[in-house]
Amino acid sequence: MRFKDVFSIIGPAMVGPSSSHTAGAARIGRTARHLFGECPSHAEILMFGSFAATYKGHGTDTAIVGGLLDMNTDDPGLPDAFAHALTAGMETNIRPGTGLYPHPNTVEIELSNAAGNRTLNMVGTSIGGGNIEIVRINGYHLKLTAVYPTLIIRHRDEPGVIAVVTRLLVDHHINIGHMSVDRKNRRGEAMMVLECDGKMHPAVIRQIEALSEVHDVTLLCL
Amino acid sequence: MNFRTLKQLAELAETRNLTLGQLMLEEQCHETGEDKDTVFTQMQAYYEIMKSAVHQGLHTDTTSKSGLTGGDARKLMAYRTEGQSLLGDHASLSMSYALAVSEVNASMGRIIATPTAGSCGIIPGVFISSQERFAWTDEQMVYGLFASGAIGYVIANNSFISGAEGGCQAEVGSAIGMAAGALVDIRGGSPSQAIHAVGLALKNTLGLICDPVAGLVEIPCIVRNGFGAITALGAADMALAGVRSIIPSDEVVQVMLEVGSAMPESLRETAGGGLAQTPTGRKITSDLQHK
């Protein structure tokens, strides 16, 4: 189901004016920030569809920047996100994108750090009422909603890696609600995304990280 | 959730002898693994924010950043207080409250998306005014929010709730359906009566386009929240009186999906058509760009 529960319909608490363009946009920005793991020094933001047509009026740009600064949907500082970005040393470049896009409210975010050795490319869609779907991470076509504790695991495409990871989750009584996998090529680089129920014990993450086929693990918990 | 359609929702509530609100609270607890207190408390906090937004909209300056809107809720309250309202006391109060919350949203104040920010005035408008009139408790109102959430959950998953996807019928239309069904539920109507109210309300908003002038959630969004509150009250009254939606409400939800999908992109929150592209709409857009 695209909309998961009662609070995806009633809620979120937010600062106006648009749940798709403000709350959803802020959540997409915040998801990118958490996937990136630190405050980026540079953000390229490409708007598509209704986002491209009306982002200035709705403050969608402001909301995404607020999200990148780790602000929540009802953060009173959200309308002043650009000023806060200046203070935080985050440069932003926002423009309409070209080409096809997966949803009427789509944004592509490219983040980099000051050293220039870390980047993140993420495509997110705002599907209504402040709910979002992330549909691409660093070129991998995956799906996550940022509603649940989510494991994003970069690994080698080898037989059994998924089984070992899910077995570790079983051992810790963690249930998987949704899962997606994509790979660059056979036996090459791959990524799996696991949306889980309940709390994620740090020990599980350490155990997954210790697997030889696993490159890195990110826990997204907004 | 153990239901995917409005019919299943009503049947499940009737089988378990619960109101829609009580059923949704149980379903939510099952879905998230949280206890009733936690879930109820969160919804209660949302209701408090709705009440604050009504208060803020009626007692503070709600002029939006663009300067285009604000202050209409207060105008309506003043007119109502003079005993001038054609609609009468209760309906005009609902409408004022709905405008108040929607104006708070346009001025970037704190609101609860119900189901969206563009439609955030309708549920608080009819809920808070009805609570004052019938002396309902906060607990009853919070159950009402769960009922409206159950209805919105079905609409959102079978159709859509965003203007960019389905036009304003998806935003304001869904909110009216959610409010109407929930009012029937709170007033003690049967679950199936509540579902009829949803169908009656949605039928009256099919085809409603999303055409925000200058891309702002102000014109015509704010007044549509006011009108939406009135439609919700009307649909609830009809259902409570025994009027049925002859076209089953689930079929109406499907039609909303079809109509919204057939709608040209210019009428789906792009500001590329409708009121946004009238001579005045274009002038406002151009004036704001040069401001």
Side-chain angles (χ1 to χ4, degrees):
Chain A
M1 304 301 264
R2 283 207 303 164
F3 297 83
K4 306 294 181 190
D5 70 344
V6 76
F7 294 117
S8 60
I9 305 297
I10 306 295
M14 58 170 287
V15 179
S18 163
S19 44
S20 284
H21 289 71
T22 319
R27 291 189 65 224
I28 292 172
R30 194 156 175 250
T31 303
R33 161 69 182 265
H34 282 243
L35 291 178
F36 191 61
E38 58 180 300
C39 185
S41 63
H42 189 83
E44 287 286 321
I45 300 167
L46 296 177
M47 305 281 198
F48 297 87
S50 169
F51 267 12
T54 66
Y55 74 86
K56 282 183 184 148
H58 281 124
T60 311
D61 45 0
T62 313
I64 291 173
V65 170
L68 290 173
L69 293 167
D70 207 14
M71 289 182 188
N72 215 335
T73 52
D74 64 343
D75 192 310
L78 210 54
D80 306 313
F82 278 105
H84 293 294
L86 268 179
T87 317
M90 181 172 81
E91 259 180 44
T92 55
N93 181 22
I94 298 158
R95 58 184 199 280
T98 53
L100 296 174
Y101 47 88
H103 183 276
N105 287 322
T106 295
V107 60
E108 180 173 350
I109 299 174
E110 176 105 23
L111 304 179
S112 52
N113 63 353
N117 58 359
R118 271 174 67 81
T119 59
L120 172 84
N121 179 284
M122 190 194 90
V123 177
T125 62
S126 181
I127 64 170
N131 299 282
I132 63 167
E133 281 179 358
I134 304 304
V135 295
R136 212 172 77 199
I137 300 168
N138 288 336
Y140 294 104
H141 290 261
L142 302 151
K143 202 169 94 180
L144 68 95
T145 60
V147 171
Y148 306 98
T150 305
L151 285 170
I152 296 105
I153 303 169
R154 217 163 52 80
H155 61 101
R156 235 180 101 70
D157 177 54
E158 292 287 348
V161 180
I162 293 169
V164 174
V165 169
T166 52
R167 167 53 60 189
L168 281 171
L169 294 178
V170 174
D171 293 345
H172 287 86
H173 305 286
I174 294 166
N175 185 48
I176 301 167
H178 185 269
M179 167 171 190
S180 50
V181 186
D182 192 22
R183 62 182 179 190
K184 293 258 164 83
N185 52 353
R186 192 167 169 165
R187 299 289 165 97
E189 296 273 311
M191 188 179 273
M192 68 175 114
V193 167
L194 303 148
E195 291 188 318
C196 301
D197 294 335
K199 288 205 174 69
M200 195 76 61
H201 199 273
V204 194
I205 296 166
R206 281 199 301 273
Q207 285 172 340
I208 298 171
E209 278 171 338
L211 298 170
S212 59
E213 300 87 352
V214 167
H215 304 309
D216 55 59
V217 182
T218 306
L219 171 64
L220 180 72
C221 217
L222 294 190
Chain B
M1 302 291 161
N2 285 305
F3 56 90
R4 295 179 84 97
T5 65
L6 294 169
K7 185 162 177 270
Q8 287 169 357
L9 170 64
E11 283 171 357
L12 203 58
E14 270 156 16
T15 311
R16 293 205 215 157
N17 203 21
L18 298 172
T19 63
L20 296 184
Q22 290 165 339
L23 173 78
M24 190 57 178
L25 176 59
E26 287 192 0
E27 289 288 310
Q28 177 73 14
C29 293
H30 178 73
E31 186 60 32
T32 61
E34 288 167 330
D35 60 63
K36 274 190 184 176
D37 271 357
T38 309
V39 173
F40 195 89
T41 304
Q42 183 175 348
M43 196 62 99
Q44 201 159 25
Y46 279 181
Y47 194 54
E48 289 304 317
I49 295 173
M50 291 181 195
K51 287 199 274 193
S52 307
V54 167
H55 189 267
Q56 192 186 335
L58 290 172
H59 296 97
T60 61
D61 181 6
T62 51
T63 307
S64 63
K65 202 172 140 197
S66 70
L68 290 174
T69 51
D72 285 347
R74 291 159 92 170
K75 276 183 207 156
L76 203 55
M77 273 303 269
Y79 166 83
R80 178 185 170 271
T81 312
E82 289 163 14
Q84 297 295 319
S85 169
L86 295 165
L87 281 169
D89 266 359
H90 179 59
S92 63
L93 188 67
S94 301
M95 193 160 68
S96 315
Y97 284 2
L99 286 183
V101 176
S102 200
E103 285 179 338
V104 167
N105 177 59
S107 61
M108 297 209 176
R110 193 162 182 240
I111 53 94
I112 303 297
T114 54
T116 69
S119 60
C120 67
I122 295 161
I123 288 177
V126 299
F127 270 47
I128 296 165
S129 60
S130 301
Q131 180 178 24
E132 289 170 8
R133 178 170 175 204
F134 295 107
W136 289 331
T137 63
D138 274 0
E139 191 184 349
Q140 283 174 287
M141 304 319 293
V142 175
Y143 274 113
L145 287 179
F146 280 104
S148 58
I151 295 159
Y153 172 83
V154 173
I155 298 173
N157 282 313
N158 291 296
S159 187
F160 22 48
I161 53 166
S162 85
E165 283 182 308
C168 201
Q169 57 172 359
E171 297 208 18
V172 158
S174 298
I176 297 171
M178 290 158 61
L183 278 177
V184 172
D185 202 50
I186 306 171
R187 278 209 88 186
S190 69
S192 70
Q193 273 179 317
I195 297 313
H196 279 297
V198 179
L200 291 167
L202 281 185
K203 280 195 291 195
N204 202 42
T205 51
L206 285 177
L208 187 57
I209 64 175
C210 182
D211 50 353
V213 171
L216 303 169
V217 191
E218 297 190 44
I219 305 166
C221 322
I222 295 173
V223 294
R224 278 188 193 155
N225 274 266
F227 291 123
I230 304 303
T231 308
L233 294 173
D237 264 347
M238 282 197 227
L240 284 163
V243 176
R244 296 166 59 243
S245 175
I246 306 294
I247 306 297
S249 302
D250 286 306
E251 292 182 31
V252 181
V253 172
Q254 282 308 303
V255 172
M256 185 167 104
L257 178 67
E258 286 165 28
V259 172
S261 304
M263 223 177 251
E265 201 176 281
S266 63
L267 304 180
R268 289 189 289 179
E269 209 184 10
T270 54
L275 297 168
Q277 287 300 323
T278 55
T280 304
R282 285 204 303 270
K283 183 174 182 302
I284 290 173
T285 310
S286 139
D287 289 351
L288 286 176
Q289 276 164 356
H290 296 105
K291 208 165 112 175

